[in-house]
Amino acid sequence: MPAFAAVSVRRAAAVALAASSLAFAAACGSSDGKGDKPAQKDAATSSTAASPGTSGASGGAKGPVTEAQLKAALLTEKDVPATWKAGPGTDGLTFGKAVKPECQKLIQLMQSEAAPMGAAIRQSSNFEYGLQQVFGFDGDKAAGYLKGFDATLTQCATFAVDMGGEKYPVTVKPLPVDQAGDEAHGYELVMDMGPIKMGFHTYVVRKGGALSALCAKGKQAVGIPAAEYQAVTGTVAKKLDQAIQG
C-alpha cells in the first residue's frame, strides 16, 4: 500500500475511534460538573418558520433556564436500557466541520463541546450508546437555533465533513418523532469513513429556552433498534418538560 494511502486509512480509523469514544463511554446520571461559559458567537441561523407537526416556535416556559433545571432534565441510569452502560466522561471531541455551513448545527448537536451554539449553560449525561446534552439559552435563542430545522435536514441530505484536512461524505435523513415540548426533531446521520461507517440517531426537543439533545450510536453499522430509540427519546422529552415546568 502506498505510504499516503496507509496514512489516510490510519487517520480515518483514528478519527472514527475518537468519535465513537466521544459520546458513548461516560458517566451516567450526572452533569459534567462544570458551569460552562457563554459561547462567543451565536450559531443560530435564519430560516423558515416552525416545522409541521410540532408546536409553535416560541412557546413554552418563560424566564431564564437554571442549572438546576438542566440537571433535572438529564437521563439517569434508570431511564435507559440496561445495555447502555456508563463509563467515564469525555469533553471537547468533535466530528469535524461541515463543508456546507448550514449543516454544521447537525454536527454540533452530536458532539461534546462546552456551551456551543450560543448556549449560556450546558449539562450532559453520557452512556455507552448515547450522549445527552441539555442547553440553556438566553431570550429566544433556543427557538432561533431550531428555526427552519426541517428545511435544514432537507438541504443537508448529503454533505461532507472536514476532519484535519480529510473530507468524509455524510448522508442525513429525517426520523419520525412524536410531538413534544414546543418542538421536536429527529434525524439519522451516517458518516462514511472508508473502512468504517458510523451511524447516529439524534433527537432534539425544545421547551422554552432549553434544548435537550440525545445522540445515540448504532449498535450495528447504522442506527439502534427503533423501539429502543423511541423509548429513550420519549423519556428525554418528558424529563425536559417536567424540569422546565417545575
Side-chain angles (χ1 to χ4, degrees), residues 7-19 168 193 195-196:
V7 169
S8 295
V9 171
R10 286 197 301 271
R11 181 178 295 177
V15 170
L17 180 59
Y168 302 101
M193 307 179 79
I196 300 173

Side-chain angles (χ1 to χ4, degrees), residues 150-172:
D150 285 352
T152 298
L153 293 179
T154 299
Q155 294 164 3
C156 299
T158 60
F159 64 100
V161 292
D162 187 323
M163 298 185 186
E166 296 278 353
K167 291 184 173 64
Y168 302 101
V170 170
T171 58
V172 172

Side-chain angles (χ1 to χ4, degrees), residues 1-121:
M1 176 183 294
F4 71 87
V7 169
S8 295
V9 171
R10 286 197 301 271
R11 181 178 295 177
V15 170
L17 180 59
S20 63
S21 67
L22 153 69
F24 317 110
C28 78
S30 63
S31 75
D32 55 13
K34 302 174 184 176
D36 293 326
K37 301 294 184 182
Q40 296 299 311
K41 183 177 180 181
D42 182 9
T45 57
S46 175
S47 186
T48 59
S51 56
T54 64
S55 321
S58 59
K62 303 299 181 183
V65 180
T66 66
E67 292 277 2
Q69 287 175 312
L70 295 191
K71 290 178 181 179
L74 291 175
L75 295 170
T76 71
E77 201 164 22
K78 296 178 181 179
D79 298 320
V80 298
T83 52
W84 289 35
K85 296 179 174 63
T90 56
D91 270 339
L93 297 177
T94 74
F95 288 91
K97 184 176 181 179
V99 174
K100 290 182 180 179
E102 63 271 27
C103 304
Q104 184 62 21
K105 67 176 62 178
L106 304 184
I107 300 297
Q108 287 176 320
L109 288 168
M110 295 169 50
Q111 61 194 12
S112 181
E113 294 179 284
M117 311 184 301
I121 51 178

